[in-house]
Every structure is written in structure tokens, then in C-alpha cells.
Coordinates of all heavy atoms in Angstrom, one line a residue:
V906 N 34.2 -16.6 -90.7 CA 34.1 -18.0 -90.4 C 33.1 -18.2 -89.3 O 32.8 -17.3 -88.5 CB 35.5 -18.5 -90.0 CG1 36.0 -17.8 -88.7 CG2 35.6 -20.0 -89.8
D907 N 32.5 -19.4 -89.3 CA 31.5 -19.7 -88.2 C 32.1 -20.6 -87.2 O 32.6 -21.7 -87.4 CB 30.3 -20.4 -88.9 CG 29.6 -19.5 -89.8 OD1 29.5 -18.3 -89.6 OD2 29.0 -20.1 -90.8
L908 N 32.1 -20.1 -85.9 CA 32.7 -20.8 -84.8 C 31.8 -20.8 -83.6 O 30.9 -20.0 -83.5 CB 34.0 -20.1 -84.3 CG 35.1 -19.8 -85.4 CD1 36.3 -19.1 -84.8 CD2 35.6 -21.2 -86.0
T909 N 32.0 -21.8 -82.7 CA 31.1 -21.9 -81.5 C 31.8 -21.2 -80.3 O 33.0 -21.0 -80.3 CB 30.9 -23.4 -81.1 OG1 32.2 -23.9 -80.8 CG2 30.3 -24.2 -82.3
P910 N 31.0 -20.7 -79.4 CA 31.5 -20.1 -78.2 C 32.6 -20.9 -77.5 O 33.6 -20.4 -77.0 CB 30.3 -19.8 -77.3 CG 29.2 -19.6 -78.3 CD 29.5 -20.6 -79.4
I911 N 32.3 -22.3 -77.4 CA 33.3 -23.1 -76.6 C 34.6 -23.2 -77.4 O 35.7 -23.2 -76.8 CB 32.8 -24.5 -76.3 CG1 33.7 -25.1 -75.2 CG2 32.7 -25.3 -77.6 CD1 33.1 -26.4 -74.6
E912 N 34.6 -23.1 -78.8 CA 35.8 -23.1 -79.5 C 36.6 -21.8 -79.3 O 37.8 -21.8 -79.1 CB 35.5 -23.2 -81.0 CG 35.2 -24.6 -81.5 CD 34.9 -24.6 -83.0 OE1 34.0 -23.9 -83.5 OE2 35.6 -25.4 -83.7
M913 N 35.9 -20.7 -79.2 CA 36.5 -19.4 -78.9 C 37.1 -19.4 -77.5 O 38.3 -18.9 -77.3 CB 35.5 -18.3 -79.1 CG 35.0 -18.1 -80.5 SD 36.3 -17.5 -81.6 CE 36.6 -15.8 -81.0
A914 N 36.4 -19.8 -76.5 CA 36.9 -19.8 -75.1 C 38.1 -20.7 -75.0 O 39.1 -20.3 -74.4 CB 35.8 -20.3 -74.2
S915 N 38.1 -21.9 -75.6 CA 39.2 -22.8 -75.5 C 40.4 -22.3 -76.2 O 41.5 -22.4 -75.7 CB 38.8 -24.2 -76.1 OG 39.8 -25.1 -76.0
A916 N 40.2 -21.7 -77.4 CA 41.4 -21.1 -78.1 C 42.0 -20.0 -77.4 O 43.2 -19.9 -77.2 CB 40.9 -20.6 -79.5
Y917 N 41.2 -19.1 -76.8 CA 41.8 -18.0 -76.0 C 42.5 -18.5 -74.8 O 43.4 -17.9 -74.3 CB 40.7 -17.0 -75.6 CG 40.4 -15.9 -76.6 CD1 40.0 -16.2 -77.9 CD2 40.4 -14.6 -76.2 CE1 39.7 -15.2 -78.8 CE2 40.1 -13.5 -77.1 CZ 39.8 -13.9 -78.4 OH 39.5 -12.9 -79.3
G918 N 42.0 -19.6 -74.2 CA 42.6 -20.2 -73.1 C 44.1 -20.6 -73.3 O 44.9 -20.6 -72.4
V919 N 44.4 -21.0 -74.6 CA 45.8 -21.3 -74.9 C 46.7 -20.1 -74.8 O 47.8 -20.1 -74.3 CB 45.9 -21.9 -76.3 CG1 47.3 -22.4 -76.6 CG2 44.9 -23.1 -76.4
F920 N 46.1 -18.9 -75.1 CA 46.9 -17.7 -75.0 C 47.1 -17.4 -73.5 O 48.2 -17.0 -73.0 CB 46.1 -16.5 -75.6 CG 45.9 -16.6 -77.1 CD1 44.8 -16.2 -77.6 CD2 46.9 -17.1 -77.9 CE1 44.5 -16.2 -79.0 CE2 46.7 -17.2 -79.3 CZ 45.5 -16.8 -79.8
A921 N 46.1 -17.7 -72.6 CA 46.2 -17.4 -71.2 C 47.3 -18.1 -70.5 O 47.8 -17.7 -69.5 CB 44.8 -17.6 -70.5
T922 N 47.6 -19.3 -71.1 CA 48.7 -20.1 -70.4 C 50.0 -20.0 -71.1 O 50.9 -20.9 -71.0 CB 48.2 -21.6 -70.4 OG1 47.9 -22.0 -71.8 CG2 47.0 -21.8 -69.6
N923 N 50.1 -19.0 -72.0 CA 51.4 -18.8 -72.7 C 51.7 -20.0 -73.6 O 52.9 -20.3 -73.8 CB 52.6 -18.5 -71.8 CG 52.4 -17.2 -71.1 OD1 52.1 -16.2 -71.6 ND2 52.7 -17.2 -69.8
G924 N 50.6 -20.6 -74.2 CA 50.9 -21.5 -75.2 C 50.5 -23.0 -74.9 O 50.7 -23.9 -75.7
F925 N 50.1 -23.2 -73.6 CA 49.8 -24.6 -73.2 C 48.3 -24.9 -73.5 O 47.4 -24.2 -73.1 CB 50.1 -24.9 -71.8 CG 51.6 -25.1 -71.5 CD1 52.4 -24.0 -71.2 CD2 52.1 -26.3 -71.6 CE1 53.8 -24.2 -71.0 CE2 53.5 -26.6 -71.4 CZ 54.3 -25.5 -71.1
K926 N 48.1 -26.0 -74.2 CA 46.7 -26.3 -74.6 C 46.2 -27.5 -73.8 O 46.9 -28.6 -73.7 CB 46.7 -26.6 -76.1 CG 45.3 -27.1 -76.6 CD 45.5 -27.5 -78.1 CE 44.2 -28.2 -78.6 NZ 44.4 -28.7 -80.0
S927 N 45.0 -27.4 -73.3 CA 44.3 -28.5 -72.7 C 42.9 -28.7 -73.4 O 42.2 -27.7 -73.5 CB 44.1 -28.3 -71.2 OG 45.3 -28.3 -70.5
E928 N 42.5 -29.9 -73.8 CA 41.2 -30.1 -74.4 C 40.1 -29.7 -73.5 O 40.1 -30.2 -72.3 CB 41.1 -31.5 -74.9 CG 42.1 -31.9 -76.0 CD 41.9 -31.1 -77.3 OE1 40.7 -30.7 -77.6 OE2 42.8 -30.9 -78.1
P929 N 39.1 -29.0 -73.9 CA 38.0 -28.7 -73.1 C 37.2 -30.0 -72.7 O 37.0 -30.8 -73.6 CB 37.1 -27.7 -73.9 CG 37.5 -28.0 -75.3 CD 38.9 -28.4 -75.3
T930 N 36.8 -30.1 -71.5 CA 36.0 -31.3 -71.0 C 35.1 -30.9 -69.9 O 35.3 -29.9 -69.2 CB 37.0 -32.4 -70.6 OG1 36.2 -33.5 -70.2 CG2 37.8 -31.9 -69.4
F931 N 34.0 -31.7 -69.8 CA 33.0 -31.5 -68.7 C 33.2 -32.6 -67.6 O 32.6 -32.6 -66.6 CB 31.6 -31.6 -69.2 CG 31.2 -30.4 -70.0 CD1 31.4 -30.3 -71.3 CD2 30.5 -29.3 -69.4 CE1 31.0 -29.2 -72.1 CE2 30.1 -28.2 -70.1 CZ 30.3 -28.2 -71.5
I932 N 34.1 -33.5 -67.8 CA 34.3 -34.7 -66.9 C 35.7 -34.7 -66.3 O 36.7 -34.7 -67.0 CB 34.0 -36.0 -67.7 CG1 32.6 -36.0 -68.3 CG2 34.2 -37.2 -66.8 CD1 32.3 -37.1 -69.2
A933 N 35.7 -34.8 -65.0 CA 37.0 -34.9 -64.3 C 37.3 -36.3 -63.9 O 38.5 -36.7 -64.0 CB 36.9 -34.0 -63.0
R934 N 36.3 -37.1 -63.5 CA 36.6 -38.4 -63.0 C 35.3 -39.3 -63.1 O 34.2 -38.8 -62.9 CB 37.0 -38.4 -61.6 CG 37.5 -39.7 -60.9 CD 37.9 -39.4 -59.5 NE 38.3 -40.5 -58.7 CZ 39.5 -41.1 -58.6 NH1 40.5 -40.5 -59.3 NH2 39.7 -42.1 -57.9
V935 N 35.4 -40.5 -63.5 CA 34.3 -41.5 -63.5 C 34.7 -42.7 -62.8 O 35.8 -43.3 -63.0 CB 34.0 -41.8 -65.0 CG1 32.8 -42.8 -65.0 CG2 33.6 -40.6 -65.8
T936 N 33.9 -43.2 -61.9 CA 34.1 -44.4 -61.1 C 32.9 -45.3 -61.3 O 31.8 -44.9 -61.6 CB 34.4 -44.2 -59.7 OG1 33.3 -43.6 -59.0 CG2 35.6 -43.3 -59.5
S937 N 33.1 -46.6 -61.0 CA 31.9 -47.5 -61.0 C 31.2 -47.4 -59.6 O 31.7 -46.7 -58.7 CB 32.4 -49.0 -61.1 OG 33.2 -49.4 -60.0
N938 N 30.1 -48.1 -59.5 CA 29.4 -48.0 -58.2 C 30.2 -48.6 -57.0 O 29.9 -48.3 -55.9 CB 28.0 -48.7 -58.3 CG 28.1 -50.2 -58.7 OD1 29.2 -50.7 -59.0 ND2 27.0 -50.8 -58.8
S939 N 31.2 -49.4 -57.3 CA 32.0 -50.0 -56.3 C 33.3 -49.2 -56.0 O 34.1 -49.5 -55.2 CB 32.4 -51.4 -56.7 OG 33.2 -51.4 -57.8
G940 N 33.4 -48.0 -56.7 CA 34.6 -47.2 -56.5 C 35.7 -47.4 -57.4 O 36.8 -46.7 -57.3
R941 N 35.6 -48.3 -58.4 CA 36.7 -48.6 -59.3 C 36.8 -47.4 -60.3 O 35.8 -47.0 -60.9 CB 36.5 -49.9 -60.1 CG 37.6 -50.2 -61.1 CD 37.3 -51.6 -61.7 NE 36.0 -51.6 -62.4 CZ 35.8 -51.3 -63.7 NH1 36.9 -50.8 -64.4 NH2 34.6 -51.3 -64.2
V942 N 38.0 -46.9 -60.5 CA 38.2 -45.7 -61.3 C 38.2 -46.2 -62.8 O 38.9 -47.1 -63.2 CB 39.6 -45.0 -61.0 CG1 39.8 -43.9 -62.0 CG2 39.6 -44.5 -59.6
I943 N 37.3 -45.6 -63.5 CA 37.1 -45.9 -64.9 C 37.8 -44.8 -65.8 O 38.4 -45.1 -66.8 CB 35.6 -46.0 -65.3 CG1 34.9 -47.1 -64.5 CG2 35.4 -46.2 -66.8 CD1 33.4 -47.2 -64.7
L944 N 37.7 -43.6 -65.4 CA 38.4 -42.5 -66.1 C 38.9 -41.5 -65.1 O 38.1 -41.0 -64.2 CB 37.4 -41.8 -67.1 CG 37.8 -40.6 -67.8 CD1 39.0 -40.9 -68.7 CD2 36.7 -39.9 -68.5
D945 N 40.1 -41.1 -65.2 CA 40.7 -40.1 -64.4 C 41.3 -39.0 -65.3 O 42.3 -39.2 -65.9 CB 41.8 -40.6 -63.5 CG 42.1 -39.7 -62.3 OD1 41.6 -38.5 -62.4 OD2 42.8 -40.1 -61.4
N946 N 40.5 -38.0 -65.5 CA 40.9 -37.0 -66.5 C 41.9 -36.0 -66.0 O 41.7 -34.8 -66.0 CB 39.6 -36.2 -67.0 CG 39.4 -36.2 -68.5 OD1 40.3 -36.6 -69.2 ND2 38.2 -35.8 -68.9
N947 N 43.0 -36.5 -65.6 CA 44.1 -35.6 -65.1 C 44.5 -34.7 -66.3 O 44.8 -35.1 -67.4 CB 45.3 -36.4 -64.6 CG 45.0 -37.1 -63.3 OD1 44.3 -36.5 -62.4 ND2 45.5 -38.3 -63.1
P948 N 44.6 -33.4 -66.0 CA 45.1 -32.5 -67.1 C 46.5 -32.8 -67.6 O 47.4 -33.2 -66.8 CB 45.1 -31.1 -66.3 CG 44.2 -31.3 -65.2 CD 44.3 -32.7 -64.7
D949 N 46.6 -32.7 -68.9 CA 47.9 -33.0 -69.5 C 48.2 -31.9 -70.6 O 48.1 -32.2 -71.8 CB 47.9 -34.4 -70.1 CG 49.2 -34.8 -70.7 OD1 50.3 -34.3 -70.3 OD2 49.3 -35.6 -71.7
P950 N 48.4 -30.7 -70.1 CA 48.6 -29.6 -71.1 C 49.8 -29.8 -72.0 O 50.8 -30.2 -71.5 CB 48.7 -28.4 -70.2 CG 49.1 -28.9 -68.9 CD 48.5 -30.2 -68.7
Q951 N 49.7 -29.5 -73.2 CA 50.8 -29.6 -74.2 C 51.1 -28.2 -74.7 O 50.3 -27.4 -75.1 CB 50.3 -30.5 -75.4 CG 49.9 -31.9 -75.0 CD 51.0 -32.7 -74.4 OE1 52.1 -32.7 -75.0 NE2 50.8 -33.4 -73.3
L952 N 52.4 -27.9 -74.8 CA 52.9 -26.6 -75.3 C 52.7 -26.7 -76.8 O 53.4 -27.4 -77.5 CB 54.3 -26.4 -74.9 CG 54.9 -25.0 -75.4 CD1 54.1 -23.9 -74.7 CD2 56.4 -24.9 -75.0
V953 N 51.9 -25.8 -77.4 CA 51.6 -25.8 -78.8 C 51.9 -24.5 -79.5 O 51.9 -24.3 -80.7 CB 50.1 -26.2 -79.1 CG1 49.8 -27.6 -78.6 CG2 49.1 -25.2 -78.4

């Protein structure tokens, strides 16, 4: 099967947490120029 390195790293990461999955992301937080929070990527791992 053909897979990407980030798919492999993310999948193995679920094993590392004993089954909790968090979607891979490059963004932790986004605010406007005035400081208003637009996105707060708080981790929400799910047991899968």
C-alpha cells in the first residue's frame, strides 16, 4: 500500500498513547491583529 510519512507517524502515535488519537496539525492558535482568538486548537484526544 502507498502511505505518506505523516500518516505513518500519526498512526504510530496512537500506539504511543495506548489508543488515544489526536489529528496531526501544524497550528496551535490563531488570533486577529487585535488579539481576538479565531482558533484555539486545544488537543482533544479520543480513545480509538
Side-chain angles (χ1 to χ4, degrees):
V906 60
D907 294 329
L908 304 178
T909 64
I911 196 168
E912 282 182 303
M913 293 294 289
S915 181
Y917 272 58
V919 185
F920 298 142
T922 57
N923 294 316
F925 282 92
K926 176 187 172 186
S927 296
E928 294 295 334
T930 180
F931 288 87
I932 299 172
R934 185 180 174 91
V935 179
T936 61
S937 68
N938 58 357
S939 63
R941 179 175 60 88
V942 177
I943 299 173
L944 173 66
D945 199 347
N946 234 349
N947 285 322
D949 184 27
Q951 302 292 316
L952 184 62
V953 297

